[in-house]
């Protein structure tokens, strides 16, 4: 009877009815003499082809995204490195004190690399994962809503474990960047002070110091890596448990005829896709905080406010006639940032144009400090410095420094050639000018070497003696044609005869320029037009030698 058939049909479940219907339709087709094999084949070929095309398409897209992401992140990192470097170059000494050189180097290299890696990863994953996961959820719900809770559970477990890792590993990342700073600091200090380390037999101790910094870093990285290593097997186990549960529960459903095998398999695929996209996202969330820390460290450098700035409307330096280079100190006092006493107190004097001023005084009197105020390496704390009547703070720094030829107390040379070092003062100087400057500075020894001007200079000028370095530094300042020359104890490493010869040549050469010469020996400044005696930051006497 019909009611019995209906009852049986209800018990069979929808899918099975469908199956029976298919079998029936099949028979009908056979009756009509349709080649079912062929029909099925063409179906498979059609959809199979479509799938292959889609896969190829998505593969192409992934490659393209990878390519673009690599370009973008590398480009961004380059830009960032340039920005940080440009910023650091403009740091005054006061700002340098806030960071160690080692830390600045880590920030420009390692920290930016971290950012680059994360930019690269996030461009590839941050959008891709939600699309994949979201699509998976929609399709899975469509196939077998009754089993959706399995995926939900898996995702919850995943989020739980990732949060734990997050909490454990995050503080360590911060520590790691600090330890890299420390390692760089120790390595730099030891390498540049190698001779001192050797002379005092400190190698074992310094090795220990390095070893400690190294071990600390290794320990933290090992810890972080172990935590990370734990993540992968955990994900694999989770995936496998997920598959097994789906098969377990799905098999019951299939046995009860409420689900088809094909649907179950599809559901499993989707489930794996969903969990996988969560894994990708979680990776991002582990690396993002690390990059955030690096980002903060970079921002700290970029956010530094410069203390020495150009005025909004700089006064143009245009003195009347040829009388250029008068320097006037008006009641200048100066105190180093963070120090609590003045290094210079009430300094007032005038260096008339074309004259030579000698400054002499015991070590620590503030001579170098006074010199550094003129090119504005530091700004005066009170009072003012004027060049030909213009307050140097009203000029642009570029213009101010173009007026000054400066020879620092520690002769700094750069790696390259002798010519490269000389042309730092003026790229377009003529060859005669370079030769003449070398001669004036008594640095003719350059011409005695086989390579002449192309004599190589190693890092910091280490392949020259102290006196040779000093003379090269003097020659470098002389290559520049300017109304003011500052010599900070630049003759200290010269023997008496060379010193005297150099001073005579210098006098001729710098005829119309103002020279300020800091010296330890009275002989060096004996012929100066004005001698200033400095002690503990105060002028205790001025006059001429006679
Ligand atoms: N960057 C700095 N920060 C803080 N204090 C400093 C700094 N440079 C120098 N000083 C202090 O300023 C004082 C003067 O130093 P300065 O270098 O001007 O002496 P100097 O007269 O050039 O000595 P020397 O003849 O040995 O070269 C010193 O007591 C020193 O401790
Ligand atoms: Mg000094």
């Amino acid at each position: 009877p019909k009611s019995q058939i209906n009852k049986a049909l209800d018990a069979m479940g929808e899918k099975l009815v469908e199956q029976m219907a298919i079998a029936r339709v099949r028979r009908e087709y056979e009756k009509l003499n349709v080649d079912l094999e062929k029909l099925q084949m063409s179906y498979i070929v059609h959809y199979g082809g479509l799938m292959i095309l889609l896969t190829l398409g998505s593969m192409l897209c992934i490659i393209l995204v990878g390519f673009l992401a690599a370009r973008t992140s590398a480009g961004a990192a380059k830009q960032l490195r340039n920005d940080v470097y440009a910023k650091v170059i403009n740091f005054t000494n006061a700002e340098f004190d806030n960071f160690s050189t080692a830390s600045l180097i880590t920030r420009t290299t390692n920290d930016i690399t971290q950012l680059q890696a994360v930019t690269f990863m996030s461009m590839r994953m941050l959008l891709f994962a939600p699309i994949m996961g979201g699509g998976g959820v929609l399709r899975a719900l469509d196939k077998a809503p009754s089993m959706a809770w399995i995926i939900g559970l898996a995702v919850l477990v995943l989020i739980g474990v990732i949060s734990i890792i997050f909490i454990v590993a995050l503080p360590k990342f911060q520590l790691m960047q600090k330890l890299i700073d420390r390692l760089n600091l120790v390595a730099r200090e030891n390498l540049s002070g190698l001779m001192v380390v050797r002379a005092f037999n400190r190698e074992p101790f310094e090795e220990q110091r390095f070893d400690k910094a190294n071990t600390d870093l290794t320990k933290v990285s090992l810890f972080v890596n172990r935590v990370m290593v734990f993540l992968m097997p955990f994900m694999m186990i989770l995936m496998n448990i997920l598959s097994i549960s789906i098969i377990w529960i799905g098999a019951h459903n299939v046995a009860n005829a409420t689900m088809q095998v094909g649907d179950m398999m599809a559901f499993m695929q989707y489930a794996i896709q969903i969990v996988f996209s969560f894994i990708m996202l979680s990776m991002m969330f582990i690396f993002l905080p690390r990059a955030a820390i690096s980002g903060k460290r970079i921002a700290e450098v970029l956010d530094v406010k410069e203390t020495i700035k150009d005025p909004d409307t700089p006064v143009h330096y245009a003195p009347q006639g040829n009388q250029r280079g008068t320097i006037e100190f008006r009641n200048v006092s100066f105190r180093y940032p963070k120090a609590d006493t003045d290094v210079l107190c009430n300094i007032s004097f005038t260096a008339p144009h074309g004259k030579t001023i000698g400054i002499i005084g015991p070590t620590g009197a503030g001579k170098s400090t006074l010199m550094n105020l003129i090119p504005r390496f530091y700004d005066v704390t009170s009072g003012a410095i004027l060049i030909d009547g213009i307050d140097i703070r009203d000029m642009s720094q570029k213009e101010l420094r173009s007026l000054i030829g400066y020879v620092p107390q520690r002769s700094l040379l750069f790696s390259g050639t002798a010519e490269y070092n000389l042309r730092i003062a003026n790229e377009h100087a003529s060859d005669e000018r370079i030769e003449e400057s070398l001669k004036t500075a008594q640095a003719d020894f350059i011409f005695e070497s086989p390579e002449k001007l192309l004599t190589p200079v190693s890092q910091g000028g280490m392949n020259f003696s102290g006196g040779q370095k000093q003379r090269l530094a003097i020659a470098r300042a002389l290559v520049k044609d300017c109304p003011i020359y500052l010599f900070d104890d630049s003759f200290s490493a010269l023997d008496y005869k060379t010193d005297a010869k150099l001073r005579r040549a210098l006098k001729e050469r710098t005829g119309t320029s103002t020279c300020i010469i800091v010296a330890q020996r009275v002989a060096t400044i004996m012929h100066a037009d004005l001698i200033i005696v400095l002690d503990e930051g105060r002028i205790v006497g001025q006059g001429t030698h006679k």
Side-chain angles (χ1 to χ4, degrees):
K2 201 174 168 189
S3 63
Q4 252 178 338
I5 294 173
N6 273 345
K7 233 189 201 163
L9 278 177
D10 280 349
M12 273 195 291
E14 212 177 314
K15 294 282 172 180
L16 222 60
V17 177
E18 230 172 75
Q19 293 255 305
M20 286 177 73
I22 290 170
R24 195 177 158 77
V25 171
R26 215 183 155 100
R27 273 201 300 280
E28 288 298 316
Y29 268 120
E30 269 160 16
K31 264 188 212 153
L32 289 173
N33 263 337
V34 176
D35 188 351
L36 268 177
E37 288 285 310
K38 213 172 140 194
L39 203 68
Q40 277 178 339
M41 224 22 226
S42 75
Y43 180 86
I44 290 175
V45 167
H46 180 171
Y47 280 94
L50 212 62
M51 275 167 79
I52 290 178
L53 271 183
L54 268 178
T55 313
L56 279 180
S58 75
M59 209 170 80
L60 260 179
C61 286
I62 288 174
I63 293 174
L64 199 70
V65 167
F67 180 76
L68 289 177
R71 270 189 78 109
T72 316
S73 53
K78 177 173 176 246
Q79 185 63 42
L80 209 53
R81 265 193 296 272
N82 276 345
D83 287 354
V84 171
Y85 188 68
K87 183 83 187 185
V88 170
I89 282 269
N90 283 316
F91 271 10
T92 54
N93 303 28
E95 283 135 21
F96 260 119
D97 292 346
N98 293 328
F99 304 93
S100 68
T101 317
S103 178
L104 283 177
I105 292 175
T106 326
R107 284 168 210 245
T108 4
T109 51
N110 186 297
D111 279 314
I112 291 182
T113 312
Q114 302 282 358
L115 271 192
Q116 178 180 351
V118 162
T119 325
F120 179 64
M121 260 193 355
S122 50
M123 274 197 280
R124 295 186 59 187
M125 293 187 179
L126 218 51
L127 284 177
F128 183 53
I131 292 174
M132 217 170 88
V137 168
L138 284 183
R139 299 295 300 151
L141 284 180
D142 189 40
K143 280 288 165 208
S146 61
M147 292 205 299
W149 62 271
I150 302 181
I151 300 180
L153 192 67
V155 167
L156 273 185
V157 173
L158 199 66
I159 292 176
V161 170
I162 288 167
S163 324
I164 293 173
I165 290 180
F166 199 73
I167 293 166
V168 173
L170 194 58
K172 299 287 178 186
F173 282 138
Q174 193 146 14
L175 190 61
M176 210 148 103
Q177 293 312 100
K178 283 221 184 88
L179 288 174
I180 294 176
D181 275 0
R182 172 94 200 131
L183 191 74
N184 277 349
L185 179 85
V186 175
R188 259 183 66 89
E189 222 169 52
N190 281 346
L191 288 180
S192 47
L194 210 54
M195 294 227 257
V196 179
V197 172
R198 281 207 195 115
F200 292 98
N201 275 328
R202 293 286 283 177
E203 288 106 323
F205 176 80
E206 292 301 335
E207 263 166 42
Q208 256 176 34
R209 201 156 81 110
F210 184 80
D211 192 51
K212 181 167 176 346
N214 198 3
T215 316
D216 287 349
L217 180 62
T218 312
K219 269 193 200 143
V220 176
S221 353
L222 267 184
F223 176 83
V224 169
N225 281 334
R226 280 194 191 120
V227 172
M228 293 296 150
V229 157
F230 169 75
L231 202 62
M232 215 49 219
F234 168 76
M235 299 289 178
M236 291 319 289
I237 289 177
L238 188 76
M239 281 256 244
N240 287 328
I241 291 179
L242 185 70
S243 306
I244 291 172
S245 338
I246 290 173
I247 293 175
W248 179 272
I249 294 164
H252 279 289
N253 286 350
V254 171
N256 289 341
T258 47
M259 185 182 270
Q260 269 187 295
V261 178
D263 284 347
M264 187 185 78
M265 294 312 284
F267 183 81
M268 200 155 82
Q269 285 288 323
Y270 293 135
I272 288 177
Q273 191 178 320
I274 293 166
V275 172
F276 196 72
S277 64
F278 263 90
I279 293 177
M280 286 211 300
L281 274 184
S282 61
M283 287 287 180
M284 282 306 314
F285 280 107
I286 284 169
F287 284 104
L288 268 182
R290 185 171 188 187
I293 288 162
S294 289
K296 210 173 107 203
R297 284 161 52 91
I298 296 165
E300 272 168 12
V301 177
L302 290 177
D303 281 348
V304 169
K305 296 257 178 315
E306 285 132 349
T307 46
I308 294 186
K309 277 190 295 231
D310 280 343
D312 293 332
T313 45
V315 176
H316 184 53
Y317 175 79
Q320 317 277 289
N322 280 335
Q323 316 227 317
R324 302 164 73 219
T326 302
I327 307 168
E328 188 187 347
F329 273 63
R330 251 187 222 164
N331 253 327
V332 170
S333 293
F334 176 74
R335 170 181 303 201
Y336 280 104
K338 290 185 190 150
D340 41 40
T341 47
D342 285 356
V343 178
L344 295 175
C345 305
N346 284 326
I347 305 287
S348 293
F349 69 90
T350 303
H353 82 99
K355 303 283 185 206
T356 300
I357 315 301
I359 297 183
I360 199 163
T363 152
K367 305 182 296 291
S368 298
T369 309
L370 187 147
M371 293 292 246
N372 288 341
L373 292 179
I374 301 173
R376 267 190 97 189
F377 293 152
Y378 292 96
D379 263 344
V380 296
T381 311
S382 67
I385 300 172
L386 299 95
I387 291 182
D388 294 315
I390 304 175
D391 190 321
I392 56 171
R393 283 167 298 189
D394 293 338
M395 279 188 229
S396 75
Q397 292 169 64
K398 202 170 154 119
E399 183 153 36
L400 168 68
R401 287 170 195 157
S402 75
L403 304 175
I404 299 170
Y406 174 72
V407 185
Q409 186 164 20
R410 271 184 58 208
S411 328
L412 265 172
L413 300 181
F414 296 89
S415 55
T417 60
E419 184 171 4
Y420 169 77
N421 272 282
L422 291 168
R423 286 197 186 276
I424 283 175
N426 179 4
E427 255 179 271
H428 310 292
S430 64
D431 290 349
E432 294 80 53
R433 172 105 199 169
I434 296 229
E435 198 181 320
E436 199 192 314
S437 302
L438 281 167
K439 283 205 176 116
T440 312
Q442 309 300 308
D444 323 54
F445 61 89
I446 283 291
F447 296 115
E448 281 152 28
S449 72
E451 286 117 324
K452 302 221 164 16
L453 275 177
L454 297 179
T455 309
V457 177
S458 57
Q459 191 192 346
M462 286 208 290
N463 55 337
F464 290 103
S465 77
Q468 285 173 332
K469 263 193 288 193
Q470 271 193 344
R471 281 176 280 167
L472 282 176
I474 294 170
R476 174 174 62 196
L478 292 178
V479 166
K480 196 165 155 187
D481 200 4
C482 45
I484 296 167
Y485 289 100
L486 306 176
F487 301 93
D488 189 355
D489 213 359
S490 313
F491 312 98
S492 60
L494 306 184
D495 58 87
Y496 189 80
K497 229 176 91 193
T498 317
D499 184 1
K501 255 165 67 185
L502 201 159
R503 269 183 292 115
R504 220 170 305 129
L506 206 59
K507 181 91 196 139
E508 268 170 43
R509 172 63 186 281
T510 60
T512 58
S513 302
T514 314
C515 291
I516 299 191
I517 300 177
V518 165
Q520 303 276 2
R521 284 188 298 223
V522 183
T524 311
I525 49 163
M526 209 156 60
H527 305 289
D529 301 297
L530 177 70
I531 296 173
I532 292 172
V533 185
L534 210 62
D535 193 13
E536 292 186 0
R538 288 166 201 281
I539 295 183
V540 290
Q542 51 180 308
T544 57
H545 184 63
K546 292 150 220 156

